[in-house]
Amino acid sequence: MDALILQILNGLDKGSAYALIALGLTLIFGTLGVVNFAHGALFMIGAFCAVTLSRLLNLSHEVAVPGEVDFLGNPMMRDVPYIYDIFGETMGASIIDWAVPLSILFAIPIMVGIGFAMERGLIKHFYKRPHADQILVTFGLAIVLQEIIKYFYGANPIPTPAPAAFTGSFDFGAVLGFDPNTIIYPYWRLVYFAFSAVIIGAVFAFLQFTTFGMVVRAGMADRETVGLLGINIDKRFTIMFGIAAAVAGLAGVMYAPINSPNYHMGMDFLVLSFVVVVVGGMGSLSGAVLAGFLLGILESFASMAIVLETLPGINQIIIYLVAIIILLTRPRGLMGRKGVMEE
């Protein structure tokens, strides 16, 4: 039972990342009809927003240590972050410690701006082009963004720690009546799951209960009719592209302490998340979220030692096997609209 609970927790953790990225992919496909293979790069850029803010907050200058000298009699120097000069040492240290959560505020305008630039500068020219053309151009854009990140940040992963308050682990075993330390799980992974649930809920609430969201949903169902009503649906879809970019970026920001940011992390998640979209149903937001969590849990269970002893390597291919079965039996996905991807 303890192993079962632990694998479910691992699955929810992985599924949170899959669901957030897949949600953004589905928003773009559902509104603009574009297969955006650069979406994983937006996840990566979000993670590097956390890296960038952390580095900015740690910018420092040297000051002399009062009463201390080296063996030559020169004053001893130490690095003091500039933020200490502004907020004081105690507050400054707290701000540096909470750099990752604060990166949310830093990343939102950056990701929305990148989303607008991508849509207006490139994507809009491929609305009526075949999906193959869209995949090629957005995949090429993803490689360009990946190489830019590699040039400025290097090829090695960059550790980006979570706040000290969330560096420990929560003892689920003691809460559920098991022996202490039987089921322990990192606090930050629980925070990530809760954060993902909030973002997913906020996106669905925005689309369901706001006038803007209702118009967007109507446009997803029948774009031409909404346009005939005098509504500038293209402008709203551009805004949705920015929102989708922000969702991917925020997913990357909060994932930085779990998986140290590196230049190829976007591509690693893109393929899996696109499979999630296909399984959930192209254009189905609820399908993307459901499939993300289900496949995350399935992948987690496939990683158990007892499973790998019986079927070595199954954890690496299980998601793709599920996708093949879904495509053969139900091409539109679990919750896809009839006729989508069935031609």
Side-chain angles (χ1 to χ4, degrees):
M1 181 60 70
D2 56 340
L4 180 67
I5 295 173
L6 187 59
Q7 293 307 318
I8 291 175
L9 290 172
N10 285 332
L12 291 175
D13 168 39
K14 292 180 179 179
S16 297
Y18 295 159
L20 280 178
I21 302 174
L23 181 63
L25 275 168
T26 304
L27 277 173
I28 292 173
F29 182 81
T31 54
L32 302 173
V34 173
V35 181
N36 180 24
F37 258 60
H39 204 70
L42 298 175
F43 176 81
M44 171 196 66
I45 292 172
F48 277 93
C49 282
V51 172
T52 302
L53 183 62
S54 180
R55 288 184 174 182
L56 290 175
L57 293 176
N58 280 285
L59 288 176
S60 61
H61 60 97
E62 289 188 338
V63 298
V65 179
E68 294 188 21
V69 295
D70 60 18
F71 68 96
L72 295 175
N74 299 317
M76 293 289 290
M77 308 296 287
R78 70 185 182 99
D79 290 330
V80 176
Y82 287 107
I83 200 165
Y84 285 11
D85 300 333
I86 301 172
F87 295 100
E89 185 170 351
T90 303
M91 179 61 74
S94 296
I95 292 174
I96 291 174
D97 183 41
W98 286 78
V100 171
L102 290 174
S103 298
I104 292 173
L105 302 177
F106 179 69
I108 289 175
I110 292 175
M111 298 310 304
V112 171
I114 290 174
F116 284 173
M118 283 177 58
E119 196 276 336
R120 290 288 86 190
L122 181 66
I123 304 297
K124 73 173 184 178
H125 301 293
F126 288 83
Y127 286 163
K128 297 181 180 180
R129 300 280 287 273
H131 288 321
D133 291 355
Q134 297 169 359
I135 291 172
L136 286 173
V137 73
T138 54
F139 187 76
L141 177 61
I143 293 175
V144 170
L145 293 174
Q146 179 175 287
E147 291 303 312
I148 290 173
I149 292 294
K150 182 180 178 182
Y151 176 80
F152 284 103
Y153 292 91
N156 297 322
I158 303 173
T160 309
F166 298 104
T167 54
S169 297
F170 181 73
D171 191 347
F172 272 100
V175 174
L176 298 176
F178 295 95
D179 293 334
N181 298 322
T182 303
I183 307 173
I184 58 174
Y185 208 72
Y187 283 120
W188 189 255
R189 290 179 180 267
L190 297 175
V191 169
Y192 189 80
F193 172 68
F195 175 80
S196 301
V198 169
I199 294 297
I200 291 170
V203 170
F204 275 90
F206 175 74
L207 292 174
Q208 189 72 30
F209 301 115
T210 66
T211 302
F212 185 98
M214 287 187 280
V215 172
V216 168
R217 285 191 293 115
M220 291 172 69
D222 193 340
R223 181 172 184 160
E224 291 185 2
T225 300
V226 173
L228 291 174
L229 295 175
I231 298 173
N232 188 348
I233 194 65
D234 290 340
K235 180 179 179 181
R236 292 173 186 261
F237 282 177
T238 299
I239 294 173
M240 289 307 301
F241 196 103
I243 292 174
V247 169
L250 293 181
V253 166
M254 296 295 282
Y255 206 76
I258 297 175
N259 183 15
S260 297
N262 57 78
Y263 73 97
H264 56 75
M265 68 185 301
M267 206 65 74
D268 295 340
F269 273 91
L270 170 69
V271 176
L272 289 172
S273 297
F274 196 80
V275 172
V276 169
V277 171
V278 172
V279 171
M282 296 292 286
S284 172
L285 298 175
S286 54
V289 173
L290 176 63
F293 284 111
L294 288 178
L295 292 179
I297 293 172
L298 184 62
E299 183 182 15
S300 179
F301 276 102
S303 301
M304 295 178 67
I306 188 172
V307 176
L308 291 176
E309 289 176 2
T310 307
L311 299 169
I314 188 64
N315 59 318
Q316 301 294 324
I317 62 172
I318 186 65
I319 289 181
Y320 305 104
L321 289 177
V322 172
I324 291 171
I325 294 171
I326 293 295
L327 288 174
L328 288 174
T329 59
R330 190 179 173 86
R332 66 175 180 264
L334 296 176
M335 302 179 70
R337 298 192 303 270
K338 189 173 181 178
V340 177
M341 305 301 286
E342 289 188 319
E343 294 83 357

mmCIF file of all heavy atoms in Angstrom, residues 167-197:
data_model
loop_
_atom_site.group_PDB
_atom_site.id
_atom_site.type_symbol
_atom_site.label_atom_id
_atom_site.label_comp_id
_atom_site.label_asym_id
_atom_site.label_seq_id
_atom_site.Cartn_x
_atom_site.Cartn_y
_atom_site.Cartn_z
ATOM 1 N N THR A 167 12.474 22.712 1.581
ATOM 2 C CA THR A 167 13.531 21.783 1.178
ATOM 3 C C THR A 167 13.394 20.408 1.825
ATOM 4 O O THR A 167 14.062 19.476 1.408
ATOM 5 C CB THR A 167 14.913 22.369 1.519
ATOM 6 O OG1 THR A 167 14.949 22.721 2.911
ATOM 7 C CG2 THR A 167 15.203 23.594 0.673
ATOM 8 N N GLY A 168 12.557 20.282 2.822
ATOM 9 C CA GLY A 168 12.394 18.993 3.493
ATOM 10 C C GLY A 168 11.367 18.108 2.803
ATOM 11 O O GLY A 168 10.987 18.330 1.657
ATOM 12 N N SER A 169 10.935 17.092 3.522
ATOM 13 C CA SER A 169 9.948 16.152 2.999
ATOM 14 C C SER A 169 8.801 15.991 3.991
ATOM 15 O O SER A 169 8.993 16.089 5.202
ATOM 16 C CB SER A 169 10.588 14.786 2.737
ATOM 17 O OG SER A 169 11.590 14.869 1.743
ATOM 18 N N PHE A 170 7.626 15.740 3.441
ATOM 19 C CA PHE A 170 6.440 15.542 4.263
ATOM 20 C C PHE A 170 6.243 14.054 4.521
ATOM 21 O O PHE A 170 6.360 13.236 3.618
ATOM 22 C CB PHE A 170 5.212 16.122 3.557
ATOM 23 C CG PHE A 170 3.937 15.993 4.331
ATOM 24 C CD1 PHE A 170 3.701 16.777 5.447
ATOM 25 C CD2 PHE A 170 2.963 15.081 3.946
ATOM 26 C CE1 PHE A 170 2.522 16.661 6.163
ATOM 27 C CE2 PHE A 170 1.781 14.961 4.643
ATOM 28 C CZ PHE A 170 1.567 15.754 5.770
ATOM 29 N N ASP A 171 5.944 13.718 5.764
ATOM 30 C CA ASP A 171 5.782 12.310 6.150
ATOM 31 C C ASP A 171 4.318 11.904 5.996
ATOM 32 O O ASP A 171 3.512 12.038 6.915
ATOM 33 C CB ASP A 171 6.253 12.110 7.594
ATOM 34 C CG ASP A 171 6.361 10.631 7.961
ATOM 35 O OD1 ASP A 171 5.841 9.798 7.196
ATOM 36 O OD2 ASP A 171 6.966 10.318 9.000
ATOM 37 N N PHE A 172 3.980 11.373 4.824
ATOM 38 C CA PHE A 172 2.621 10.904 4.586
ATOM 39 C C PHE A 172 2.315 9.660 5.413
ATOM 40 O O PHE A 172 1.174 9.417 5.794
ATOM 41 C CB PHE A 172 2.424 10.582 3.098
ATOM 42 C CG PHE A 172 1.985 11.744 2.278
ATOM 43 C CD1 PHE A 172 2.898 12.447 1.509
ATOM 44 C CD2 PHE A 172 0.664 12.156 2.263
ATOM 45 C CE1 PHE A 172 2.503 13.528 0.740
ATOM 46 C CE2 PHE A 172 0.262 13.240 1.500
ATOM 47 C CZ PHE A 172 1.181 13.926 0.735
ATOM 48 N N GLY A 173 3.349 8.869 5.662
ATOM 49 C CA GLY A 173 3.134 7.634 6.404
ATOM 50 C C GLY A 173 2.537 7.883 7.773
ATOM 51 O O GLY A 173 1.582 7.206 8.187
ATOM 52 N N ALA A 174 3.078 8.878 8.494
ATOM 53 C CA ALA A 174 2.581 9.180 9.831
ATOM 54 C C ALA A 174 1.140 9.682 9.774
ATOM 55 O O ALA A 174 0.316 9.372 10.641
ATOM 56 C CB ALA A 174 3.477 10.221 10.499
ATOM 57 N N VAL A 175 0.806 10.454 8.743
ATOM 58 C CA VAL A 175 -0.545 11.010 8.613
ATOM 59 C C VAL A 175 -1.561 9.926 8.288
ATOM 60 O O VAL A 175 -2.689 9.928 8.796
ATOM 61 C CB VAL A 175 -0.571 12.112 7.527
ATOM 62 C CG1 VAL A 175 -1.995 12.586 7.271
ATOM 63 C CG2 VAL A 175 0.319 13.275 7.937
ATOM 64 N N LEU A 176 -1.156 8.968 7.443
ATOM 65 C CA LEU A 176 -2.080 7.931 6.975
ATOM 66 C C LEU A 176 -2.090 6.690 7.863
ATOM 67 O O LEU A 176 -2.765 5.717 7.552
ATOM 68 C CB LEU A 176 -1.725 7.533 5.544
ATOM 69 C CG LEU A 176 -1.820 8.649 4.499
ATOM 70 C CD1 LEU A 176 -1.347 8.162 3.138
ATOM 71 C CD2 LEU A 176 -3.253 9.172 4.394
ATOM 72 N N GLY A 177 -1.353 6.729 8.965
ATOM 73 C CA GLY A 177 -1.371 5.610 9.891
ATOM 74 C C GLY A 177 -0.315 4.557 9.656
ATOM 75 O O GLY A 177 -0.315 3.519 10.319
ATOM 76 N N PHE A 178 0.614 4.793 8.710
ATOM 77 C CA PHE A 178 1.722 3.870 8.495
ATOM 78 C C PHE A 178 2.855 4.201 9.474
ATOM 79 O O PHE A 178 2.796 5.185 10.204
ATOM 80 C CB PHE A 178 2.235 3.969 7.055
ATOM 81 C CG PHE A 178 1.233 3.533 6.023
ATOM 82 C CD1 PHE A 178 0.415 4.465 5.395
ATOM 83 C CD2 PHE A 178 1.118 2.197 5.665
ATOM 84 C CE1 PHE A 178 -0.503 4.071 4.433
ATOM 85 C CE2 PHE A 178 0.201 1.792 4.699
ATOM 86 C CZ PHE A 178 -0.618 2.730 4.097
ATOM 87 N N ASP A 179 3.887 3.382 9.436
ATOM 88 C CA ASP A 179 5.055 3.674 10.263
ATOM 89 C C ASP A 179 5.700 4.974 9.801
ATOM 90 O O ASP A 179 5.694 5.282 8.590
ATOM 91 C CB ASP A 179 6.083 2.539 10.160
ATOM 92 C CG ASP A 179 5.568 1.252 10.785
ATOM 93 O OD1 ASP A 179 4.709 1.357 11.697
ATOM 94 O OD2 ASP A 179 5.998 0.163 10.358
ATOM 95 N N PRO A 180 6.258 5.767 10.711
ATOM 96 C CA PRO A 180 6.932 7.014 10.319
ATOM 97 C C PRO A 180 8.028 6.746 9.289
ATOM 98 O O PRO A 180 8.695 5.700 9.322
ATOM 99 C CB PRO A 180 7.521 7.526 11.647
ATOM 100 C CG PRO A 180 6.648 6.934 12.696
ATOM 101 C CD PRO A 180 6.243 5.576 12.178
ATOM 102 N N ASN A 181 8.171 7.690 8.372
ATOM 103 C CA ASN A 181 9.185 7.640 7.313
ATOM 104 C C ASN A 181 8.944 6.520 6.294
ATOM 105 O O ASN A 181 9.841 6.183 5.511
ATOM 106 C CB ASN A 181 10.592 7.502 7.903
ATOM 107 C CG ASN A 181 10.974 8.681 8.768
ATOM 108 O OD1 ASN A 181 10.643 9.824 8.452
ATOM 109 N ND2 ASN A 181 11.651 8.422 9.874
ATOM 110 N N THR A 182 7.740 5.946 6.318
ATOM 111 C CA THR A 182 7.416 4.930 5.312
ATOM 112 C C THR A 182 7.110 5.577 3.965
ATOM 113 O O THR A 182 7.555 5.108 2.918
ATOM 114 C CB THR A 182 6.200 4.092 5.761
ATOM 115 O OG1 THR A 182 6.479 3.496 7.020
ATOM 116 C CG2 THR A 182 5.896 3.009 4.743
ATOM 117 N N ILE A 183 6.344 6.654 4.010
ATOM 118 C CA ILE A 183 5.986 7.391 2.789
ATOM 119 C C ILE A 183 6.372 8.849 3.011
ATOM 120 O O ILE A 183 5.652 9.598 3.668
ATOM 121 C CB ILE A 183 4.483 7.301 2.478
ATOM 122 C CG1 ILE A 183 4.028 5.851 2.444
ATOM 123 C CG2 ILE A 183 4.172 7.975 1.155
ATOM 124 C CD1 ILE A 183 2.522 5.694 2.318
ATOM 125 N N ILE A 184 7.509 9.248 2.487
ATOM 126 C CA ILE A 184 7.926 10.641 2.585
ATOM 127 C C ILE A 184 7.999 11.218 1.186
ATOM 128 O O ILE A 184 8.365 10.522 0.223
ATOM 129 C CB ILE A 184 9.270 10.795 3.321
ATOM 130 C CG1 ILE A 184 10.375 9.993 2.616
ATOM 131 C CG2 ILE A 184 9.140 10.379 4.773
ATOM 132 C CD1 ILE A 184 11.747 10.217 3.212
ATOM 133 N N TYR A 185 7.626 12.472 1.072
ATOM 134 C CA TYR A 185 7.588 13.102 -0.248
ATOM 135 C C TYR A 185 8.041 14.548 -0.130
ATOM 136 O O TYR A 185 7.639 15.242 0.798
ATOM 137 C CB TYR A 185 6.170 13.033 -0.828
ATOM 138 C CG TYR A 185 6.162 13.023 -2.331
ATOM 139 C CD1 TYR A 185 6.584 11.895 -3.036
ATOM 140 C CD2 TYR A 185 5.759 14.138 -3.049
ATOM 141 C CE1 TYR A 185 6.605 11.871 -4.412
ATOM 142 C CE2 TYR A 185 5.770 14.128 -4.432
ATOM 143 C CZ TYR A 185 6.198 12.986 -5.112
ATOM 144 O OH TYR A 185 6.229 12.961 -6.480
ATOM 145 N N PRO A 186 8.887 15.013 -1.066
ATOM 146 C CA PRO A 186 9.424 16.375 -0.964
ATOM 147 C C PRO A 186 8.324 17.438 -0.947
ATOM 148 O O PRO A 186 7.368 17.371 -1.729
ATOM 149 C CB PRO A 186 10.296 16.497 -2.220
ATOM 150 C CG PRO A 186 10.659 15.090 -2.569
ATOM 151 C CD PRO A 186 9.458 14.269 -2.195
ATOM 152 N N TYR A 187 8.484 18.418 -0.087
ATOM 153 C CA TYR A 187 7.504 19.498 0.024
ATOM 154 C C TYR A 187 7.315 20.219 -1.307
ATOM 155 O O TYR A 187 6.191 20.551 -1.686
ATOM 156 C CB TYR A 187 7.945 20.512 1.080
ATOM 157 C CG TYR A 187 7.719 20.080 2.504
ATOM 158 C CD1 TYR A 187 8.780 19.962 3.397
ATOM 159 C CD2 TYR A 187 6.441 19.798 2.978
ATOM 160 C CE1 TYR A 187 8.576 19.567 4.714
ATOM 161 C CE2 TYR A 187 6.222 19.402 4.288
ATOM 162 C CZ TYR A 187 7.301 19.291 5.153
ATOM 163 O OH TYR A 187 7.088 18.908 6.447
ATOM 164 N N TRP A 188 8.436 20.475 -1.997
ATOM 165 C CA TRP A 188 8.319 21.297 -3.204
ATOM 166 C C TRP A 188 7.519 20.605 -4.299
ATOM 167 O O TRP A 188 6.823 21.250 -5.071
ATOM 168 C CB TRP A 188 9.693 21.701 -3.741
ATOM 169 C CG TRP A 188 9.576 22.712 -4.843
ATOM 170 C CD1 TRP A 188 9.732 22.505 -6.176
ATOM 171 C CD2 TRP A 188 9.207 24.093 -4.695
ATOM 172 N NE1 TRP A 188 9.498 23.666 -6.870
ATOM 173 C CE2 TRP A 188 9.181 24.654 -5.985
ATOM 174 C CE3 TRP A 188 8.917 24.891 -3.590
ATOM 175 C CZ2 TRP A 188 8.877 25.993 -6.198
ATOM 176 C CZ3 TRP A 188 8.613 26.224 -3.810
ATOM 177 C CH2 TRP A 188 8.589 26.761 -5.100
ATOM 178 N N ARG A 189 7.600 19.291 -4.366
ATOM 179 C CA ARG A 189 6.803 18.570 -5.362
ATOM 180 C C ARG A 189 5.312 18.674 -5.035
ATOM 181 O O ARG A 189 4.474 18.750 -5.939
ATOM 182 C CB ARG A 189 7.248 17.104 -5.432
ATOM 183 C CG ARG A 189 8.631 16.922 -6.042
ATOM 184 C CD ARG A 189 9.056 15.474 -6.069
ATOM 185 N NE ARG A 189 10.380 15.297 -6.659
ATOM 186 C CZ ARG A 189 10.614 15.041 -7.946
ATOM 187 N NH1 ARG A 189 9.590 14.917 -8.786
ATOM 188 N NH2 ARG A 189 11.835 14.903 -8.401
ATOM 189 N N LEU A 190 4.987 18.691 -3.757
ATOM 190 C CA LEU A 190 3.596 18.903 -3.351
ATOM 191 C C LEU A 190 3.154 20.324 -3.690
ATOM 192 O O LEU A 190 2.026 20.551 -4.138
ATOM 193 C CB LEU A 190 3.439 18.645 -1.852
ATOM 194 C CG LEU A 190 3.732 17.214 -1.385
ATOM 195 C CD1 LEU A 190 3.664 17.128 0.130
ATOM 196 C CD2 LEU A 190 2.745 16.232 -2.011
ATOM 197 N N VAL A 191 4.078 21.286 -3.491
ATOM 198 C CA VAL A 191 3.785 22.677 -3.856
ATOM 199 C C VAL A 191 3.534 22.773 -5.355
ATOM 200 O O VAL A 191 2.615 23.470 -5.805
ATOM 201 C CB VAL A 191 4.947 23.603 -3.440
ATOM 202 C CG1 VAL A 191 4.776 24.992 -4.038
ATOM 203 C CG2 VAL A 191 5.034 23.693 -1.921
ATOM 204 N N TYR A 192 4.340 22.056 -6.139
ATOM 205 C CA TYR A 192 4.177 22.104 -7.593
ATOM 206 C C TYR A 192 2.829 21.539 -8.024
ATOM 207 O O TYR A 192 2.165 22.103 -8.914
ATOM 208 C CB TYR A 192 5.306 21.323 -8.277
ATOM 209 C CG TYR A 192 5.338 21.513 -9.774
ATOM 210 C CD1 TYR A 192 5.905 22.660 -10.323
ATOM 211 C CD2 TYR A 192 4.781 20.582 -10.640
ATOM 212 C CE1 TYR A 192 5.923 22.858 -11.697
ATOM 213 C CE2 TYR A 192 4.797 20.763 -12.001
ATOM 214 C CZ TYR A 192 5.373 21.900 -12.530
ATOM 215 O OH TYR A 192 5.374 22.100 -13.897
ATOM 216 N N PHE A 193 2.427 20.458 -7.403
ATOM 217 C CA PHE A 193 1.118 19.889 -7.727
ATOM 218 C C PHE A 193 0.002 20.877 -7.377
ATOM 219 O O PHE A 193 -0.931 21.089 -8.174
ATOM 220 C CB PHE A 193 0.918 18.587 -6.964
ATOM 221 C CG PHE A 193 -0.478 18.034 -7.079
ATOM 222 C CD1 PHE A 193 -0.958 17.545 -8.281
ATOM 223 C CD2 PHE A 193 -1.326 18.028 -5.982
ATOM 224 C CE1 PHE A 193 -2.253 17.048 -8.398
ATOM 225 C CE2 PHE A 193 -2.617 17.534 -6.090
ATOM 226 C CZ PHE A 193 -3.078 17.041 -7.289
ATOM 227 N N ALA A 194 0.078 21.492 -6.199
ATOM 228 C CA ALA A 194 -0.938 22.468 -5.799
ATOM 229 C C ALA A 194 -0.934 23.677 -6.734
ATOM 230 O O ALA A 194 -1.997 24.180 -7.132
ATOM 231 C CB ALA A 194 -0.697 22.917 -4.354
ATOM 232 N N PHE A 195 0.260 24.132 -7.105
ATOM 233 C CA PHE A 195 0.375 25.263 -8.030
ATOM 234 C C PHE A 195 -0.254 24.923 -9.375
ATOM 235 O O PHE A 195 -0.984 25.734 -9.960
ATOM 236 C CB PHE A 195 1.856 25.620 -8.204
ATOM 237 C CG PHE A 195 2.119 26.693 -9.224
ATOM 238 C CD1 PHE A 195 1.944 28.029 -8.897
ATOM 239 C CD2 PHE A 195 2.545 26.363 -10.503
ATOM 240 C CE1 PHE A 195 2.188 29.016 -9.841
ATOM 241 C CE2 PHE A 195 2.794 27.341 -11.448
ATOM 242 C CZ PHE A 195 2.616 28.674 -11.118
ATOM 243 N N SER A 196 0.020 23.720 -9.872
ATOM 244 C CA SER A 196 -0.556 23.292 -11.149
ATOM 245 C C SER A 196 -2.078 23.266 -11.083
ATOM 246 O O SER A 196 -2.760 23.705 -12.024
ATOM 247 C CB SER A 196 -0.032 21.904 -11.524
ATOM 248 O OG SER A 196 1.360 21.897 -11.628
ATOM 249 N N ALA A 197 -2.612 22.763 -9.974
ATOM 250 C CA ALA A 197 -4.068 22.702 -9.817
ATOM 251 C C ALA A 197 -4.670 24.104 -9.831
ATOM 252 O O ALA A 197 -5.730 24.340 -10.435
ATOM 253 C CB ALA A 197 -4.424 21.990 -8.513
#
